[in-house]
Amino acid sequence: MGVLMSRRQTVEKVQKVSLAVSAFKDGLREQPSTRRRAEAGGTRRGTLEQAVQEGEEEASAGPSQPEESSASKAAWERLRDGRGVEPEEFDRANRFTPPAFIRPKRELHDDEPPDISLEQREQVLNDEMCEICEVWTAESLFPCRVCSRVYHDGCLRRMGYLQNDSAVEVTETAHTETGWSCYYCDNLNLLLTEEEMYSLMETLQHCKIIPETCLTLDDFLHYKHLVHKQQFEQPMAEAQEEQAALQFSALDPDKKGHIEWHDFLSHESIQLLQKLRPQNALLRLLTAKERERARAAFLALDQDSDGFIGEGECRRARHTWFRKHQKETPSCNVSISHVGPMSESSPASSGSGKSQEKTPLAMEQEEARTVDWPSFLRENVTYILAARPNSAALHLQPPA
């Protein structure tokens, strides 16, 4: 017991030092005072249309302008640093200080093809101690389904990452085949480097997207039109607009008429990764657990064990990565290795009849093409990464 108390005291001392350093950095940044932040009305909520009506002049000025509200500036800083809630917004008497997220850096060998063997299985082991308090208490630890970290539910509550509704979900799914993603893996935006993050922020600012707001279908399509015109210097085609509308539906599985900010940010983050990084670099982002699930999926599809599967089977596997929520369909609790045809009621199979129609020639060509293990990984890597968040939304809609 004495050892445990000593370790906890050490952790608390480190957290106090981290808090002091954070406060010192905040002072150097000359952030607005708490009083000005309160007068600005806190973080913005609601739809993008409402936010624009309330502060169109502030949004058009950009976050670097002196006259911008302190709340908007704080939201941009949280987006830049990958933070969800500021430390000063916590009740310090009952909460831990949130960790400082460090964005990854690209290495020189990232673009080289990684050695991921199909035959050589990897031993996947979870950490023995809680990531937050560094205490081992066996069965009360909740493992992440993506990485090796484990957590106490009490520590997650004190961090502010576990609210009443999500606590039930973590308890029910963390020890099942469905699994639960920790706050590191749940945030796809943390995969971006500082340079990639600044690129995304510039795009959002140019399109007048206000952080921490929900987006309606009109907002989403307007944003997609602006991004497409900025990138290709020509209007978006009708087929591309239809695809964007399908992506919106995938991000709004509950049909609320808008998509949440964190779902939109995850979608844009994975889109940017797909655009800027080669597939070899994306493959290096996969964890041992994700690589093992990919092996199990491929081996289940390779019935004759010749090292090849059909194109149709590979396409169906892209939908299977998103079968992680028990509340969606009865088949959601199956293993990732049980790859089969998608049900008509599945969110991943939703789409217009026009986009799902296939000519006999196209189907024949699809069945004729074979996919080996390296190709299977490259073609599925973005969908595996996009399936990390706990949200029911599909952050990257697979093609029909």
Side-chain angles (χ1 to χ4, degrees), residues 1-12 135:
M1 185 65 182
V3 175
L4 290 182
M5 290 303 295
S6 176
R7 173 164 284 173
R8 285 186 177 178
Q9 291 172 357
T10 302
V11 172
E12 290 176 358
V135 173

Side-chain angles (χ1 to χ4, degrees), residues 280-343:
N280 288 334
L282 295 179
L283 287 172
R284 294 184 180 276
L285 298 177
L286 296 179
T287 65
K289 290 182 180 180
E290 290 172 322
R291 292 192 295 268
E292 275 301 294
R293 289 194 185 107
R295 283 191 185 92
F298 186 87
L299 292 173
L301 293 169
D302 185 16
Q303 299 293 334
D304 53 5
S305 301
D306 64 347
F308 293 91
I309 63 173
E311 165 64 21
E313 294 170 319
C314 181
R315 177 175 53 85
R316 286 192 292 272
R318 296 170 196 157
H319 295 274
T320 310
W321 306 121
F322 299 97
R323 293 183 180 180
K324 59 181 185 292
H325 297 282
Q326 295 177 347
K327 61 183 180 181
E328 292 178 0
T329 61
S331 62
C332 287
N333 198 29
V334 300
S335 170
I336 197 69
S337 62
H338 296 115
V339 180
M342 296 296 294
S343 64

